[in-house]
Amino acid sequence: MAKTLGLSVGTVSKALNGYDDVSQATREKVLLLAKSLNYSPNSYARSLRNKESKTIGLLVPEIVHHFFSNIIHGAVETAEKHGYVVIILESNESYDIEKKQLQLLLDRNVDGILMSLADNTVNYKHIGKIINEGTPVTLYDKITKSVDTHKVLINDQKAAYNATKYLIDSGCKNIAHIRGPLKPQTTIDRLKGYRKALEDHNFPYQKHLVFESKHFSFEDGKAIAGIITENFPEVDGVFAFTDLLATGVLVELKQRHYKIPEDIAIIGFSNWFLSEITTPKLSTVNQSGYEMGQESVKLLLQEIDNRKHDRPYQYQTIEIPAELVIRDSTKKIKSLK
């Protein structure tokens, strides 16, 4: 192209890339010839020159999950608007797979990484090492306070508090909680919120009414509902860690001829599509995965740009609002007159 136009390679490159020190007439000649030759810039070569790959890694605990699929949607759309490609990998809630997938992303020379911790992750040295070696990492949803970096999350303690408070305000006296293993901060904070709501309303915290689900599955919900009905008949409310668990509880209770919410009220967490198709429809806590994906990418790209231009930056924690969605699996709160 340079030889055809009688220009230097440098001038042609500047014209193609919109530099100001190239005249309008020269730029138009270069662009016209480029169009006639169906020329398109080699983005890979350009990225090597700029020491950028224009790719970011997105590590999710589960891809087939309503909440995380919404995060993927928000992250990919936002990244594409800024000219980035997203490589999506799954940890399958495994610490070992998490480490393997992170190394794969580093081998692909990604410019930064978004990740939500696997449930089995209890050691965070591998994340600190990545950050110390110069690759930005933003944690979202399941985070740790042990790593200093950007974080995007909801206030799980506040959301769980509000869910439990609603059950109390609607008349429940003995509220069970179904939690996950006490490893991710999300599980810890939701348990704290549940417990604080009880204590603030002068209800005793009853450890025997807190049940652990190892797999967050529909089957776990059914099994725990069976334990509750057979051993703790006083329970009249259930706050479950996820909508899938809550759905399992709801189905099992109906099979045992319990009336919902008259006999036992149920509230879940996440606002999955499931919550609108159960009978009765499931009350839940709405958390916007799409918005979380958006904000995570924005924080990560800001850090990438600041590092590129040697600008100072401070790590931020962004809190995504979470709101109660009240449907038919909980009793209505009687208004005070």
Side-chain angles (χ1 to χ4, degrees), residues 175-195:
I175 301 168
H177 175 46
I178 305 175
R179 62 167 176 83
L182 291 176
K183 292 178 182 176
Q185 194 66 42
T186 49
T187 306
I188 297 169
D189 286 344
R190 289 180 201 177
L191 176 60
K192 284 181 177 179
Y194 159 79
R195 184 168 184 169

Side-chain angles (χ1 to χ4, degrees), residues 73-298:
H73 187 200
V76 169
E77 278 197 358
T78 306
E80 287 179 346
K81 287 177 183 176
H82 291 83
Y84 280 79
V85 173
V86 182
I87 300 173
I88 303 165
L89 297 175
E90 181 182 34
S91 69
N92 198 27
E93 300 289 11
S94 164
Y95 171 62
D96 291 331
I97 295 176
E98 177 179 285
K99 290 193 296 181
K100 177 182 175 183
Q101 302 291 48
L102 287 173
Q103 187 56 54
L104 191 153
L105 291 172
L106 294 174
D107 292 343
R108 293 294 183 93
N109 196 36
V110 295
D111 295 330
I113 295 172
L114 305 170
M115 68 175 294
S116 181
L117 296 172
D119 282 343
N120 291 332
T121 297
V122 292
N123 184 314
Y124 312 107
K125 290 181 181 178
H126 59 304
I127 302 170
K129 184 172 183 288
I130 291 171
I131 295 170
N132 291 337
E133 291 178 353
T135 300
V137 174
T138 292
L139 296 177
Y140 68 89
D141 187 43
K142 290 190 283 188
I143 60 100
T144 174
K145 296 178 181 178
S146 302
V147 176
D148 192 20
T149 190
H150 292 305
K151 300 178 179 77
V152 182
L153 41 77
I154 69 164
N155 189 327
D156 282 286
Q157 186 170 335
K158 180 180 178 182
Y161 182 98
N162 290 338
T164 308
K165 181 180 183 299
Y166 187 90
L167 290 173
I168 293 170
D169 290 344
S170 65
C172 295
K173 304 294 185 185
N174 293 282
I175 301 168
H177 175 46
I178 305 175
R179 62 167 176 83
L182 291 176
K183 292 178 182 176
Q185 194 66 42
T186 49
T187 306
I188 297 169
D189 286 344
R190 289 180 201 177
L191 176 60
K192 284 181 177 179
Y194 159 79
R195 184 168 184 169
K196 189 171 192 310
L198 293 177
E199 292 171 350
D200 285 355
H201 292 81
N202 299 315
F203 284 88
Y205 171 69
Q206 302 178 78
K207 192 174 182 180
H208 64 275
L209 294 186
V210 176
F211 303 88
E212 180 177 339
S213 165
K214 294 187 182 298
H215 307 292
F216 300 110
S217 64
F218 175 81
E219 290 75 16
D220 276 6
K222 282 177 63 67
I224 292 169
I227 294 170
I228 289 172
T229 58
E230 291 169 13
N231 298 280
F232 307 102
E234 71 275 15
V235 168
D236 55 4
V238 175
F239 166 47
F241 186 83
T242 69
D243 288 341
L244 193 57
L245 282 168
T247 302
V249 171
L250 186 150
V251 169
E252 182 66 23
L253 290 178
K254 285 182 64 180
Q255 289 175 348
R256 291 173 181 251
H257 307 294
Y258 279 77
K259 293 179 181 179
I260 300 166
E262 292 84 358
D263 296 331
I264 299 182
I266 307 167
I267 190 163
F269 206 107
S270 284
N271 199 23
W272 287 25
F273 71 93
L274 275 174
S275 60
E276 292 194 88
I277 62 175
T278 58
T279 304
K281 293 182 179 180
L282 185 67
S283 295
T284 186
V285 176
N286 180 61
Q287 52 178 349
S288 175
Y290 184 85
E291 187 178 354
M292 185 171 285
Q294 282 184 314
E295 295 301 324
S296 298
V297 169
K298 288 177 184 177

